[in-house]
Amino acid sequence: MTLISSQLSDHRPATDAAVRALTGSGIPVHLPGTDPYTALTATSNLTKAIRPVAVVAARGSADVSHTLRVAAATGLQVAVQGTGHGATETMQDAILVSTAALDELTVHADARWARIGAGVRWAAVLEACAPYGLAALAGSSPHVGVVGYLTGGGLGPVARTHGLASDTVRAFDVVTGDGVAHRVTATSDPDLFWGLRGGKGTLGIVTAVEIDLVEQAELYAGAVWFAGADAAAVVRTWSRWCELLPQEGTTSIAVMRLPDLPIFPAPLRGTTSVAVRFAWTGDPATGEEMIRAIRSVATPIIDTVRVMAYAELGDVHTDPTDPMPLHEHHSLLDSFPGEAADRLLELVGPDAQCAQAVVEVRQLGGRVRDDRGVPSAFAHRDAAFSVFSAALLLPELAELVAQDTVRVHDGLAPWARDGGLPNFTDSAGPQWAGRVFTADVAQRLRALSLAHDPAGVLLGARGVRS
């Protein structure tokens, strides 16, 4: 018996047939129990384990096309993962296409654009752009993948100035569910171009993107941390301050209960603290005047706001990079007035019994609302704020954490609106689609999916097709 035959012995016939067809074509396929399978199915959230029947380590669009066609012929579905961030499906009974090896990265500095493979993380793009004083609209964590972030819209630390990252996309190389490879631009295929920006994985597997870059060599940015005892003054001030902040500034506030672990700064471990994140794209002197209102509220325990190279963008939020077991949730607000600030303090302030490690309120608005005349499937541009919570999900605390998450988000219901953001909403299928898309957007995505994926091969389309 061959190695492949031995490893397939526990799988159903459709899987056997698909794997044999793929390996017979010379495509790298990895099965459960092998080291490559383990590496390529790793996720950043340890509670989101994935268990595909096999992993295709794609070397380019031809491998993706062939995989999709084989899956259609054998009755299987296909999922995709590049870096392990944003996993929501178990992928059970599906083939996983890993785009991790698609590491193309070319910066065209004179024309201010870049071509980026689907396996590239934002950190590499920031580094490649830095010598030219150019900026790509990365998210708060440069550790995440470029493509998954862009197809979900992309709300980063300078979004109020420069807008959604997906609005900088010039072109996609994508393979739709029928196995057809496309180069998609706003003029070549406006429908697919609309749906790939905000529709996440509903319409195809992106193998490369081309994005416009902006001139932004430096920022005046960082975070100002305060002790929990000052939370009330800081949160209330931040609420009023946001009303005056021009779009050169993007900000969020986070109430933290960080565990006593050496990966966190000593003053923050095992206690409640409040961080105001701030990124100013204009004159640093003006930025210093803007943040003075926050600095003057109380004595900071840590203050990292400074002139920094744009490539240091990740220092604004300092998101952790190591995989952790997390329970995450997200909601949107139409406003965050003083009454909402007081309610947030009741829910998660230092005197509250709260199981969340972090509860963040992020100001939106500014150029996020501007689609630049090219509409996309990103459905909630007009939301004013987002709320994100994350808690360490230990088995013995699972029920408590889930109940506490509901308590926090329901507690802000008077200012909330329906909907969610594709990159933040931690669910899958119809539940996910119902939150992140309006009915009109979902209907249009469904029509595009039926046209380009008649066999329903793409697992990511399940939410809009159900």
Side-chain angles (χ1 to χ4, degrees), residues 197-217:
R197 294 172 305 122
K200 210 63 176 168
T202 55
L203 299 181
I205 295 177
V206 175
T207 57
V209 292
E210 295 172 6
I211 62 170
D212 288 322
L213 305 172
V214 299
E215 292 186 10
Q216 188 79 56

Side-chain angles (χ1 to χ4, degrees), residues 91-274:
M91 301 183 189
Q92 190 172 1
D93 298 327
I95 297 172
L96 170 64
V97 169
S98 170
T99 59
L102 307 183
D103 58 357
E104 175 185 5
L105 174 55
T106 306
V107 176
H108 299 269
D110 291 342
R112 293 196 307 173
W113 65 281
R115 180 173 170 84
I116 307 163
V120 176
R121 299 174 190 263
W122 280 111
V125 180
L126 296 176
E127 181 180 356
C129 292
Y132 310 106
L134 297 174
L137 301 187
S140 60
S141 173
H143 193 64
V144 307
V146 170
V147 164
Y149 179 77
L150 289 173
T151 57
L155 273 164
V158 295
R160 283 171 45 81
T161 300
H162 294 299
L164 292 178
S166 60
D167 291 333
T168 67
V169 174
R170 300 160 58 105
F172 293 95
D173 285 0
V174 62
V175 184
T176 47
D178 53 9
V180 177
H182 305 258
R183 175 176 167 81
V184 176
T185 69
T187 54
S188 71
D189 194 329
D191 287 333
L192 275 178
F193 193 71
W194 170 87
L196 290 169
R197 294 172 305 122
K200 210 63 176 168
T202 55
L203 299 181
I205 295 177
V206 175
T207 57
V209 292
E210 295 172 6
I211 62 170
D212 288 322
L213 305 172
V214 299
E215 292 186 10
Q216 188 79 56
E218 294 181 334
L219 296 170
Y220 183 71
V224 186
W225 295 79
F226 298 90
D230 298 314
V234 174
V235 173
R236 289 167 182 155
T237 299
W238 186 82
S239 169
R240 296 192 298 271
W241 181 65
C242 285
E243 297 174 3
L244 305 174
L245 190 65
Q247 68 181 32
E248 287 86 358
T250 301
T251 185
S252 65
I253 192 167
V255 180
M256 302 278 202
R257 285 174 168 80
L258 299 178
D260 189 3
L261 297 173
I263 61 172
F264 301 113
L268 309 179
R269 298 176 196 164
T271 187
T272 301
S273 59
V274 180

Side-chain angles (χ1 to χ4, degrees), residues 35 63 66 78 85 118 132 140 147 165 171 225 232 242 314 329 357 376 419 436 448 455-456 459:
D35 290 341
D63 286 353
H66 193 64
V78 175
H85 287 83
Y132 310 106
S140 60
V147 164
W225 295 79
C242 285
H329 196 64
S376 73
V436 304
L448 287 167
L459 185 64

